[in-house]
Amino acid sequence: MTDRIQHIVQLARQSKTFRSAYHLLFWIIVAFFYFALFSWNSEFREATIIFSAGLLPVAISETYFFNHFLFPRFLWKKRYARFFLYSFYTLLVGVWLSFLIVFYALIFILTNKAAISPTLLHPELQIVSLHFIIFLGIAIKQVKRAFFMQQEKSELEKAQLTTELKLKEAELKLLKAQVHPHFLFNTLNNLYGLTLEKSDEAPALVLQLSDILDYILYRCDAKLVDLSEELANLKNYIEIEKIRYPNKLKLTLEFPDETEHLKIAPLILLPFVENAFKHGVSHFPGMAFINMKASLSDKNLTFSVENSRTPLKPKEQSYSNGIGLVNVRKRLELLYPGKYILRVDELSETFSVNLILELES
């Protein structure tokens, strides 16, 4: 209903015919107001006609002069000194014209009717009624202007919000597209290594890879997935990685048994796990370790990963600046603005990530 009213108002605003009719109707009402006011105050019908016919063009001229010249030319441009000076002169001219109209009415009555006192014509009433209409016309114009400015501001904000939302959706799709190839490349490398070794664990890896591909290709298109599915996918990935490092990895894994049907963005946790295996195990010279834990408190998921770390050479890039963590930071900002806390700690021998995420049910 509100949108329909705004649409009608917008059409009316754009129609010159409607605006002209609106202005004409307003001044017709003012003319009747003047006629009724001066008829009630004067015994002479001729004086009523003179006052009404004389003050109306003065009121029209001063109202439009304020609304279409003084306000846009000076007040809106913050040229206050000139605005108040010219406003004073304009109102002074209005007072002067009001007295002229009173004197003309007095001369007309004295010439054609009878002798009367000038005070019986109440010149102060003409001045007050003139400026009342002028200020009313100015107020209506400024209120209307403020209304349309607010409407335009709301429409601009709505358009800007829509544009930002589309940009975020496009950026999110791009980030997810970067996650998929990166993940598949690592997994296929694992499978290739096992087939070269003719490992008996290759069939199990193929089955787990099949589950992962099914998850990525068919279930990750949704904005949110069950937390249980996301954790199951992580377990499959971890099992694949464990096959690669049977004698050099000490893994501690703790995931909740019940996820209370909570929802999470797909593949949002995977980069942390990938990062742990890539930097904490693959190039580590001795026995590496990974400690991984996920826990729930109401709707808050706490996910932590700590892994051993190969000391970096001076020219090497920091782990926390890798493409995987950069992408996941962007995804978190797009999907969970103000609803997550991410802490990354790089120590001399360990690297740890702690994420607290507010999920949806």
Side-chain angles (χ1 to χ4, degrees):
M1 184 67 179
T2 304
D3 293 339
R4 182 177 295 180
I5 293 174
Q6 290 180 349
H7 180 67
I8 294 173
V9 171
Q10 189 67 26
L11 290 177
R13 186 187 181 192
Q14 295 173 353
S15 172
K16 293 183 179 179
T17 304
F18 178 87
R19 290 191 308 184
S20 299
Y22 163 78
H23 284 259
L24 180 61
L25 177 63
F26 175 79
W27 292 116
I28 290 174
I29 295 174
V30 170
F32 278 107
F33 166 76
Y34 276 156
F35 189 82
L37 177 66
F38 298 134
S39 295
W40 168 77
N41 184 62
S42 175
E43 299 177 0
F44 300 96
R45 186 176 184 84
E46 293 81 357
T48 298
I49 297 174
I50 292 172
F51 291 153
S52 301
L55 288 180
L56 186 62
V58 177
I60 293 173
S61 301
E62 289 202 27
T63 301
Y64 286 117
F65 186 70
F66 269 102
N67 285 334
H68 297 284
F69 182 77
L70 292 183
F71 275 89
R73 190 78 175 268
F74 300 105
L75 184 62
W76 299 343
K77 295 182 179 180
K78 299 182 179 181
R79 300 163 69 180
Y80 301 121
R82 290 193 177 185
F83 172 76
F84 288 114
L85 180 63
Y86 294 149
S87 296
F88 174 75
Y89 288 152
T90 303
L91 295 175
L92 196 62
V93 169
V95 172
W96 178 68
L97 291 174
S98 299
F99 279 117
L100 284 183
I101 294 168
V102 172
F103 291 150
Y104 178 79
L106 178 61
I107 293 171
F108 180 86
I109 294 172
L110 291 175
T111 304
N112 298 280
K113 295 293 183 179
I116 62 170
S117 171
T119 57
L120 295 178
L121 296 178
H122 297 287
E124 73 281 357
L125 182 61
Q126 278 66 254
I127 297 174
V128 172
S129 61
L130 170 66
H131 291 93
F132 169 76
I133 294 300
I134 292 173
F135 293 141
L136 178 62
I138 292 173
I140 292 174
K141 173 67 176 180
Q142 301 313 312
V143 169
K144 187 174 70 171
R145 175 178 177 271
F147 171 78
F148 284 124
M149 286 182 64
Q150 182 62 37
Q151 187 181 32
E152 289 176 355
K153 182 181 178 182
S154 299
E155 291 175 355
L156 184 62
E157 290 177 350
K158 186 183 296 183
Q160 185 177 0
L161 185 62
T162 303
T163 303
E164 289 178 355
L165 184 60
K166 289 181 179 179
L167 289 175
K168 285 186 176 182
E169 289 177 353
E171 185 175 357
L172 185 58
K173 288 180 180 179
L174 178 62
L175 291 173
K176 287 179 67 177
Q178 291 174 354
V179 168
H180 294 182
H182 182 62
F183 169 73
L184 291 175
F185 178 77
N186 287 347
T187 307
L188 289 174
N189 265 349
N190 295 348
L191 181 59
Y192 177 70
L194 290 176
T195 53
L196 286 180
E197 297 172 2
K198 298 182 179 179
S199 172
D200 294 336
E201 295 176 328
L205 186 146
V206 172
L207 184 60
Q208 288 165 336
L209 178 60
S210 175
D211 289 339
I212 292 173
L213 289 175
D214 177 70
Y215 180 74
I216 290 177
L217 296 176
Y218 297 106
R219 284 174 280 174
C220 284
D221 286 338
K223 182 180 178 181
L224 298 174
V225 297
D226 286 340
L227 177 60
S228 59
E229 293 183 357
E230 178 74 2
L231 295 179
N233 183 66
L234 290 182
K235 289 178 181 178
N236 280 331
Y237 177 83
I238 292 168
E239 290 300 319
I240 291 174
E241 290 286 7
K242 283 171 60 179
I243 295 173
R244 292 182 61 195
Y245 311 106
N247 299 317
K248 63 172 298 185
L249 173 63
K250 182 180 179 181
L251 176 68
T252 303
L253 183 64
E254 186 178 341
F255 282 176
D257 296 326
E258 296 293 332
T259 57
E260 303 174 5
H261 303 289
L262 293 174
K263 302 288 185 178
I264 190 172
L267 303 178
I268 199 73
L269 303 177
L270 181 61
F272 302 123
V273 181
E274 283 186 305
N275 194 69
F277 280 99
K278 180 180 179 182
H279 298 293
V281 182
S282 61
H283 300 296
F284 195 76
M287 176 64 73
F289 75 89
I290 295 178
N291 298 324
M292 196 176 306
K293 181 179 180 181
S295 60
L296 290 172
S297 176
D298 294 328
K299 291 186 178 182
N300 294 322
L301 169 68
T302 301
F303 184 74
S304 62
V305 181
E306 182 184 19
N307 57 270
S308 52
R309 171 184 176 182
T310 304
L312 292 174
K313 296 179 182 179
K315 294 184 179 180
E316 287 183 322
Q317 188 183 25
S318 171
Y319 293 157
S320 62
N321 294 326
I323 186 172
L325 289 182
V326 170
N327 283 349
V328 79
R329 286 179 190 275
K330 289 183 178 180
R331 289 193 67 202
L332 285 169
E333 192 59 38
L334 289 171
L335 294 171
Y336 296 96
K339 295 183 178 181
Y340 78 94
I341 300 174
L342 177 61
R343 179 179 175 182
V344 178
D345 293 317
E346 293 186 73
L347 302 178
S348 58
E349 297 181 354
T350 61
F351 181 88
S352 63
V353 173
N354 290 276
L355 173 67
I356 300 176
L357 195 61
E358 182 180 338
L359 303 182
E360 298 181 23
S361 56

